[in-house]
Amino acid sequence: MTISMEKIPHPRSVVWQEDRLLLLDQRRLPAETVYLELTTPEEVREAIVKLAVRGAPAIGTAAAFGMYLGVKDVPDADAGRLWSTLRRVGEDLRSARPTAVNLSWALERIRRRLETLKERPVSELKAALLAEAHAIQREDAEMCRKIGEHLLTLLEDGMGVLTHCNAGGLATAAYGTALAPLYLAKERGWHLRVFADETRPVLQGARLTAYELQQAGIDVTLICDNMAAAVMQKGWVQAVIVGTDRVAANGDVANKIGTYGLAVLAKAHGIPFYVAAPTSSIDLQTPTGADIPIEERPVEEITKGFGLATAPEGVRVYNPAFDVTPAELVTAIITEHGVIRPPFGPGLQEAVQRSQG
């Protein structure tokens, strides 16, 4: 399956154009649609750290292009400089968001590809790096659509679906992971009623998910995070679908802070809790969720969100970007290869093996 990147149903978050990287600045949505023009890996890293680009797959794609920006001006006669630059830039980009495994996955894929060509001229290595970055982006779009198709088999026309943060097209190359079935349902003429958590403290659900679904003409209702239980209690939600930044080998899932609470609520109300996970998000080297590093964000995201003082100066703040949902609260993990049910370990291993060919 080949997807035309020009025909996806939402703004593209990562665009390569004439030796420069254009990133949709998601901090300025929904008020403004502005693209950052980046020409150095340092600028790419800063955009990742400051959430101008976010969502694990989009971060991985941006980092892949960032690697090319780091080496594109290396002289063709200086192979030593090329390899030293690749190591330095890779380490710098890898440290930008430690929880999102797609970031390290994309950088490792670039490294492995170039290792197979290490005796080739520098000009060919640079061309291969850029081609691999484009392949990562293209394959992500195809992968997301497949995830959506598998998820759609778990849904029915007329259902209510609750989602958290933004695991949509803005977080990926196209369609998204958790939001992919919503786009495909619309293509089929289905009517799904979507509830989007605002997602404190940076409001990705309000600013991004509500924005892209509304732009696509999908029925979406925005709620505060603490309203999810009430919406479930009313019987308006028949499925919860979230994305993930990392899946441990046992099926524990790291995702945006607040996901764990939603899983607990879904369990209490007898609602299936589905995790949309490209195989690039599965980390078989991490045994359980307890082994996943959890990034902590600046306190100002809570105390001075969007420029407004919302807490007393000097108050102690805890601001983890992610939490870990135990595998026992997850109904199914959906990859591009299909639906994985508990116990998750064997199914996750098989999905990764299939992706590796």
Side-chain angles (χ1 to χ4, degrees):
M1 173 178 58
T2 301
I3 292 174
S4 170
M5 298 300 295
E6 305 303 323
K7 296 181 179 180
I8 59 176
H10 48 73
R12 294 172 61 187
S13 56
V14 181
V15 179
W16 182 257
Q17 187 179 92
E18 298 176 356
D19 270 4
R20 57 182 179 163
L21 183 62
L22 304 181
L23 293 183
L24 178 62
D25 191 344
Q26 299 186 35
R27 300 166 299 183
R28 299 171 72 168
L29 292 172
E32 300 176 284
T33 301
V34 176
Y35 281 85
L36 302 175
E37 182 178 326
L38 310 182
T39 57
T40 70
E42 291 78 16
E43 291 174 337
V44 175
R45 186 185 189 281
E46 182 179 23
I48 293 172
V49 169
K50 294 188 175 180
L51 303 184
V53 59
R54 29 74 48 209
I59 288 171
T61 300
F65 285 115
M67 287 286 283
Y68 176 75
L69 289 175
V71 302
K72 71 180 181 67
D73 292 327
V74 170
D76 288 349
D78 198 343
R81 181 177 166 188
L82 175 91
W83 289 105
S84 64
T85 300
L86 284 171
R87 286 190 292 271
R88 175 181 57 79
V89 171
E91 291 170 1
D92 196 39
L93 288 169
R94 194 185 306 270
S95 67
R97 298 294 304 273
T99 304
V101 73
N102 297 66
L103 174 56
S104 57
W105 170 86
L107 297 175
E108 179 62 16
R109 173 169 163 170
I110 293 287
R111 186 195 66 78
R112 289 199 309 268
R113 173 60 177 152
L114 296 188
E115 282 287 342
T116 67
L117 304 170
K118 59 183 178 182
E119 302 303 327
R120 307 301 299 170
V122 168
S123 59
E124 289 188 25
L125 292 173
K126 290 192 286 187
L129 196 165
L130 182 58
E132 197 70 12
H134 281 294
I136 288 171
Q137 184 177 44
R138 182 179 62 256
E139 290 168 17
D140 181 53
E142 295 167 356
M143 185 184 306
C144 287
R145 187 173 179 95
K146 290 177 182 177
I147 289 173
E149 289 169 348
H150 292 305
L151 264 165
L152 208 55
T153 67
L154 304 174
L155 306 178
E156 296 178 5
D157 190 6
M159 273 187 170
V161 176
L162 191 150
T163 191
H164 188 68
C165 195
N166 176 255
L170 296 174
T172 64
Y175 297 102
T177 55
L179 300 193
L182 309 181
Y183 287 113
L184 300 186
K186 181 175 174 58
E187 289 180 9
R188 291 189 182 185
W190 287 16
H191 180 265
L192 298 179
R193 186 180 185 189
V194 183
F195 294 90
D197 278 349
E198 65 173 355
T199 315
R200 288 279 293 150
V202 188
L203 305 180
Q204 292 97 327
R207 295 185 301 105
L208 306 178
T209 296
Y211 165 80
E212 69 168 272
L213 293 182
Q214 186 182 62
Q215 292 290 308
I218 293 172
D219 182 351
V220 58
T221 300
L222 178 65
I223 61 173
C224 296
D225 296 359
N226 56 6
M227 298 173 184
V231 171
M232 292 179 182
Q233 187 180 55
K234 289 180 177 293
W236 294 348
V237 176
Q238 285 72 53
V240 176
I241 308 176
V242 299
T244 180
D245 286 78
R246 186 181 301 210
V247 179
N250 71 335
D252 290 348
V253 173
N255 192 49
K256 182 56 58 186
I257 189 72
T259 302
Y260 174 34
L262 271 186
V264 171
L265 290 174
K267 184 80 169 181
H269 290 86
I271 298 170
F273 185 89
Y274 299 126
V275 177
T279 52
S280 57
S281 296
I282 299 171
D283 184 2
L284 297 180
Q285 304 307 309
T286 299
T288 73
D291 303 297
I292 298 175
I294 300 298
E295 173 189 359
E296 291 195 32
R297 301 285 304 167
V299 300
E300 290 79 12
E301 289 183 351
I302 294 178
T303 61
K304 297 179 181 178
F306 302 96
L308 177 67
T310 56
E313 190 72 29
V315 69
R316 187 178 296 112
V317 172
Y318 176 52
N319 185 24
F322 306 93
D323 56 27
V324 175
T325 299
E328 57 264 28
L329 295 179
V330 177
T331 305
I333 297 172
I334 297 85
T335 76
E336 66 271 26
H337 299 299
V339 178
I340 304 172
R341 304 261 184 193
F344 292 114
L348 293 173
Q349 291 181 22
E350 181 182 353
V352 170
Q353 288 170 357
R354 289 181 64 181
S355 292
Q356 293 174 344

